[in-house]
Amino acid sequence: MAEDVESALLAHPDVARLDGAVASYLPGRRVDGVRVGDRVEVAVVLRPDRPIAEVVSELRAHVARVTGRAPVDVTVADLELEGG
């Protein structure tokens, strides 16, 4: 499920990348930015083009479509400004 959440987050146009503040460990792979348990925790770096609260709300909805009823905690770890 962590990989499905990762895909849903990276498909959002306002997500620049996922942040390693949380992670899931799968056989042979670490999924940065996603931890799935009783709650789903995600950590993202956003592009600053839109209000953060709107984007976070959209991300919760995208993740909930993948995970079902588990609560979703979104951490905005940083903003990616143009040029780095």
Side-chain angles (χ1 to χ4, degrees), residues 26-82:
L26 305 176
R29 182 166 189 256
R30 173 185 158 127
V31 180
D32 284 336
V34 179
R35 184 180 303 142
V36 178
D38 292 337
R39 303 182 72 80
V40 178
E41 299 174 67
V42 300
V44 295
V45 176
L46 298 179
R47 293 180 182 92
D49 303 328
R50 295 184 45 225
I52 292 171
E54 286 180 17
V55 176
V56 166
S57 179
E58 291 172 7
L59 293 176
R60 279 195 181 104
H62 283 288
V63 171
R65 283 188 210 111
V66 173
T67 62
R69 297 171 89 66
V72 179
D73 298 322
V74 178
T75 298
V76 177
D78 204 354
L79 298 176
E80 183 173 278
L81 303 177
E82 285 187 40

